[in-house]
Amino acid sequence: MESDFDLLDAKAILEWQAELGISEAISEKPINRFEKNADEKSIVATFNPDATSVNIKSQSAIDEAVLIAANAKNLLELKSAIENFPHCDLKRGARNAVFSAGSSAAKIMIIGEAPGREEDFQGVPFVGRAGQLLDKMLFSIGLSREESDVEKSVYITNVIPWRPPENREPMQDEIDMMLPFLKRHVELVEPKVIVAMGNVSCQSLLGRRGITKLRGVWVEAFGLPVLPMLHPAYLLRNPVAKREAWSDLLSLKEKVFT
Ligand code: URA
């Protein structure tokens, strides 16, 4: 009897909150999303304007990123601008900002997703298992990040410079915030072509996902030819797809060097 009464009470309270304009359940206290099981903390209802203020906050962070990135006159300034950009929460959980590797004179700019554990540790992109496979793939068509000769070198960076917790995919607002820096990065390096490694890179550069369909077909972003390719981490999980990766590497070589 008593529990029936509680249920009716709860229903009435919910209806009343809905009348007031409450439309979303978020936590009473800030949630530390770097902590495991953060989502299991107690949930209470609150007002919609909170959600709006989050959007306003990330829009103003994007506006600030556009200004700061545009002011960077060279790669060193851009690196320092990224390192000092305070608005992307990923920065708080990362050991290092991972900027780039390879030669900035290279004709090929490879854009990956975000640093993983090893990259975060060393502050260098693509140095873990996927990175080692990437190096082998590049070597197979005569390219290397260690080369200074523009005909043989590559330049490597990521959409996101900080490691996301537990290697989760970057969220759209994190991508949006860091995209102005990536755009400026491309302008300063002036590559002949871009390789978009994997879904997150394609989502950021082309606004599209579905890498198994996108791969191998030249498209355009930032006014440059872009080749979507399967991410080496995907190839580690799906070795049979290396066949497609090989065909894309040949297409890359032909486009840039013939
Ligand atoms: N995966 C990426 O996309 N980038 C890195 O730097 C490492 C792994």
Side-chain angles (χ1 to χ4, degrees), residues 112-116 119 125-126 130 158 231:
E113 175 180 330
E119 290 78 17
F126 281 103
N158 284 309
H231 195 286

Side-chain angles (χ1 to χ4, degrees), residues 17-63:
Q17 288 177 335
E19 285 282 325
L20 288 176
I22 291 166
S23 61
E24 206 179 14
I26 65 168
S27 300
E28 193 170 17
K29 293 192 192 127
I31 296 174
N32 179 357
R33 297 203 179 271
F34 293 101
E35 221 172 81
K36 247 188 155 180
N37 303 328
D39 286 335
E40 289 169 20
K41 302 273 156 64
S42 68
I43 300 290
V44 296
T46 191
F47 288 96
N48 220 5
D50 281 357
T52 314
S53 73
V54 168
N55 288 339
I56 290 169
K57 241 175 76 189
S58 56
Q59 186 54 53
S60 73
I62 295 168
D63 295 344

Side-chain angles (χ1 to χ4, degrees), residues 3 25 39 61 63 82 94-95 176 186 211 218 230:
S3 64
D39 286 335
D63 295 344
I82 290 173
R95 205 182 281 252
D176 292 345
V186 173
I211 188 64
W218 286 92
L230 296 169

Side-chain angles (χ1 to χ4, degrees), residues 98 115-124 127-129 132 163:
V98 175
R117 199 180 83 95
E118 204 50 44
E119 290 78 17
D120 178 49
F121 200 72
Q122 295 187 35
V124 181
V127 287
R129 277 186 72 221
Q132 286 158 21
R163 181 193 184 195

